[in-house]
Amino acid sequence: MQHYSGFGLVKHALSYHENWQRAWRNPTPKKKYDIVIVGGGGHGLATAYYLAKEHGITNVAVVEKGWLGGGNTARNTTIVRSNYLWDEAAWLYEHAMKLWEGLSQDLNYNVMYSQRGVMNLGHTLQDMRDIHRRVNANRLNGIDGEVLDVNQIQEIVPIMDLSRNTRYPVLGASWQPRGGVARHDAVAWGFARGADSRGVDMLQQTEVTGIRKNGNKVVGVETNRGFIAADTVGVVTAGNSGVLANMAGFKLPVESHPLQALVSEPMKPILDTVVMSNKVHGYVSQSDKGDLVIGAGIDGYNGYGQRGSYSTIEHTLQAIVEMFPIFSRVRMNRQWGGIVDTCPDACPIISATPVGGLFFNCGWGTGGFKATPGSGNVFAATLAAGKAHPLAAPFSIDRFISGKLIDEHGAAGVAH
Amino acid sequence: MLHIYCPHCAEYREEEEFRPKGEAHIARPVEPEATSDEDWGNYLFFRKNPRGLHHELWYHAAGCRKFFNITRDTVSYQIHETYKVGQQPSVTKQASSSKGAAK
């Protein structure tokens, strides 16, 4: 693998940047792998990377029906935070946060993780009680968090309308300074490059059409490029998890919904943090390119269409303009939808399944991006050992039978 | 914006009047006390979540406030039919595949 550095940039400038090595190969599928990962998004690529790096398992294929990082990895609003209420979720997301903090160095790829802080606004007394509770829970778990009053918010975000005569006046906020945003594509590309250099095969435009079983044990996957054998298969297919589960012959406690986001025209720097509001239901940050990155809630109906309804966009922009009247004349550049796999308790599933050797990592719903490195890290450990990593164990599919749910709707169910 | 025919109002109305309520035809176990944890979990949480035809429950929240069912394609979002609770769908995966129109 060619090492990226400032010196390398200068060196390649001398040859007009025409001799850069390809970031990853485009190999022909082998007949058999030790582990096949279905889904070449951020989570799947991170899984492959940590399998190779931390567990020395390199006879691995990532099978992707489109191109690497072309699904939700390319469609999210890139927010990273770990201020979750319950211990299990907080530990998992904090695990990811710690990996984020060293990720660019680890991957030798600039993922542009910018810890500009994440602010969650409270608009009602109950919001504020929940915020106090959540911040206290975070601090007990060693996760940074503060409760801000209106004056402190105004200092950080001068352009926000914090007057008392708005429809939903802001009463305070939780603040996680270590949170922020990252460059979504770079995360996928960095993991792909790191995994590829250790021998993992990235099989793009290879669609899984079936999961072959022998009795109740997985033996491989059928694809449009033929059968690929593997004793262990990890499925990381986000919105299409239900489709894959159907191929394997069981149901998941997951429903797929469209989730939309939009970006504005690029502007000069005006917002240097991430502002989220569950109550008025919108969140916004400004990318390094200068465009406002805006997101909101899912469409209520099941959908795989990668687009959403106009009423949801309208609702989102109402919320943004409510918080930032200064943005009322900003023109929107693009709008798109991704398909999120939502769980009843707004927490993911990282789990063995009724089929032996077949593991699922899904159900991240509206907030999977922030967990990308952590998700891959614990799922790699789970695949390597054949049993759940301690951080992943509470997220077993069995919790929907036992009733031991991890109810993160307060911290996670709405805004991500 | 979906344009939805409410079988109770017998009129087309805009999507915003309605609330989707997920998969239809899920029967509550007749004897909850005698139901195993697994069956109860299946009833509460596990869903077909198909890519394609989906029979789902909708609520006319800002209209007649009655529930009804829709058969809808989850990829194209095309609504094939709406029908009252208690009735069975006429557009099904089996029916459309026998016509060779399965998607």
Side-chain angles (χ1 to χ4, degrees):
Chain A
M1 182 174 79
Q2 200 169 33
H3 187 80
Y4 292 161
S5 65
F7 174 72
L9 202 60
V10 173
K11 195 181 84 180
H12 279 282
L14 298 175
S15 56
Y16 304 100
H17 294 293
E18 286 172 356
N19 297 319
W20 286 100
Q21 191 185 43
R22 282 181 182 274
W24 52 81
R25 298 162 295 128
N26 192 14
T28 316
K30 287 193 265 181
K31 289 212 161 24
K32 187 173 189 332
Y33 291 92
D34 293 340
I35 297 178
V36 162
I37 295 163
V38 183
H43 289 228
L45 295 167
T47 307
Y49 174 76
Y50 288 114
L51 269 176
K53 177 174 175 251
E54 295 192 349
H55 306 280
I57 302 173
T58 56
N59 188 20
V60 173
V62 178
V63 181
E64 164 59 45
K65 73 172 174 181
W67 61 92
L68 300 182
N72 290 350
T73 305
R75 291 163 193 269
N76 63 82
T77 50
T78 76
I79 298 166
V80 177
R81 59 186 178 89
S82 64
N83 53 355
Y84 280 70
L85 175 66
W86 299 105
D87 289 350
E88 296 86 350
W91 294 337
L92 183 64
Y93 288 102
E94 180 63 13
H95 181 59
M97 174 74 89
K98 289 193 170 126
L99 290 168
W100 274 115
E101 287 176 326
L103 198 59
S104 290
Q105 293 302 319
D106 185 35
L107 294 175
N108 177 233
Y109 204 105
N110 188 2
V111 299
M112 297 167 71
Y113 180 39
S114 160
Q115 294 182 294
R116 57 184 65 184
V118 172
M119 190 182 283
N120 294 76
L121 302 179
H123 299 263
T124 65
L125 280 176
Q126 187 58 47
D127 275 1
M128 290 316 297
R129 290 185 195 113
D130 290 341
I131 282 172
H132 277 282
R133 181 186 181 205
R134 182 160 49 77
V135 167
N136 286 336
N138 291 157
R139 294 174 75 124
L140 286 171
N141 273 323
I143 297 167
D144 61 325
E146 287 167 47
V147 178
L148 303 182
D149 64 24
V150 175
N151 292 331
Q152 290 167 306
I153 297 173
Q154 195 81 79
E155 241 167 66
I156 297 169
V157 190
I159 58 168
M160 201 192 306
D161 183 4
L162 293 168
S163 56
R164 299 289 302 174
N165 58 1
T166 54
R167 174 69 182 84
Y168 298 101
V170 175
L171 302 183
S174 74
W175 172 240
Q176 187 181 22
R178 283 160 70 234
V181 291
R183 171 89 169 96
H184 50 355
D185 292 327
V187 178
W189 297 337
F191 277 125
R193 175 169 163 269
D196 177 89
S197 74
R198 289 170 171 83
V200 174
D201 282 358
M202 309 291 157
L203 308 176
Q204 300 181 73
Q205 296 183 350
T206 308
E207 182 171 1
V208 170
T209 53
I211 291 173
R212 193 185 287 183
K213 294 187 286 186
N214 183 7
N216 197 31
K217 172 87 184 64
V218 71
V219 292
V221 293
E222 313 277 357
T223 75
N224 59 349
R225 295 169 79 182
F227 175 71
I228 300 173
D231 294 332
T232 304
V233 174
V235 176
V236 202
T237 53
N240 279 307
S241 298
V243 177
L244 269 291
N246 190 29
M247 287 177 192
F250 56 89
K251 287 201 282 188
L252 288 173
V254 157
E255 288 194 295
S256 297
H257 293 273
L259 174 66
Q260 300 180 80
L262 51 170
V263 293
S264 74
E265 58 192 344
M267 303 187 296
K268 290 191 174 177
I270 190 165
L271 180 64
D272 63 357
T273 185
V274 181
V275 177
M276 318 177 73
S277 167
N278 284 6
K279 190 73 184 177
V280 300
H281 211 166
Y283 40 97
V284 59
S285 63
Q286 189 175 22
S287 75
D288 292 342
K289 212 164 57 181
D291 32 17
L292 298 177
V293 184
I294 293 168
I298 58 173
D299 282 21
Y301 48 77
N302 288 29
Y304 287 88
Q306 294 193 322
R307 62 187 182 281
S309 53
Y310 290 106
S311 47
T312 307
I313 304 172
E314 188 181 2
H315 187 74
T316 306
L317 292 177
Q318 277 170 354
I320 299 300
V321 174
E322 170 82 23
M323 292 188 281
F324 299 98
I326 195 174
F327 291 158
S328 65
R329 280 166 295 149
V330 173
R331 282 165 297 193
M332 290 300 137
N333 223 354
R334 286 178 293 124
Q335 170 273 339
W336 63 91
I339 301 306
V340 297
D341 42 337
T342 56
C343 264
D345 60 355
C347 271
I349 296 167
I350 309 171
S351 178
T353 66
V355 179
L358 180 66
F359 295 82
F360 266 67
N361 180 356
C362 65
W364 290 93
T366 57
F369 178 76
K370 68 171 79 67
T372 304
S375 159
N377 192 272
V378 298
F379 196 48
T382 302
L383 292 178
K387 67 179 178 62
H389 181 279
L391 285 177
F395 297 93
S396 159
I397 201 168
D398 295 335
R399 73 181 190 270
F400 297 97
I401 303 297
S402 70
K404 198 173 188 311
L405 303 182
I406 306 158
D407 180 10
E408 279 293 351
H409 280 287
V414 187
H416 270 274
Chain B
M1 176 80 74
L2 298 176
H3 208 202
I4 299 170
Y5 181 82
C6 172
H8 301 289
C9 301
E11 269 179 38
Y12 281 94
R13 301 284 183 86
E14 288 185 353
E15 178 186 335
E16 280 183 281
E17 288 192 14
F18 300 89
R19 294 284 175 275
K21 295 288 176 186
E23 189 178 321
H25 306 294
I26 298 173
R28 181 184 162 91
V30 181
E31 287 186 71
E33 298 81 3
T35 305
S36 69
D37 286 353
E38 198 172 348
D39 287 344
W40 189 251
N42 277 330
Y43 159 69
L44 280 181
F45 299 124
F46 288 74
R47 297 293 178 260
K48 289 181 192 149
N49 193 25
R51 190 185 175 99
L53 276 191
H54 190 224
H55 307 292
E56 54 197 14
L57 190 65
W58 283 68
Y59 174 50
H60 197 174
C64 62
R65 300 177 67 193
K66 287 178 186 162
F67 287 83
F68 62 97
N69 295 327
I70 295 183
T71 303
R72 194 176 56 91
D73 188 302
T74 57
V75 180
S76 69
Y77 300 167
Q78 186 192 349
I79 293 172
H80 291 282
E81 61 174 343
T82 61
Y83 54 100
K84 289 179 185 168
V85 171
Q87 295 174 341
Q88 290 301 311
S90 61
V91 182
T92 59
K93 215 171 163 188
Q94 292 78 12
S96 55
S97 61
S98 64
K99 278 184 282 179
K103 269 279 171 196

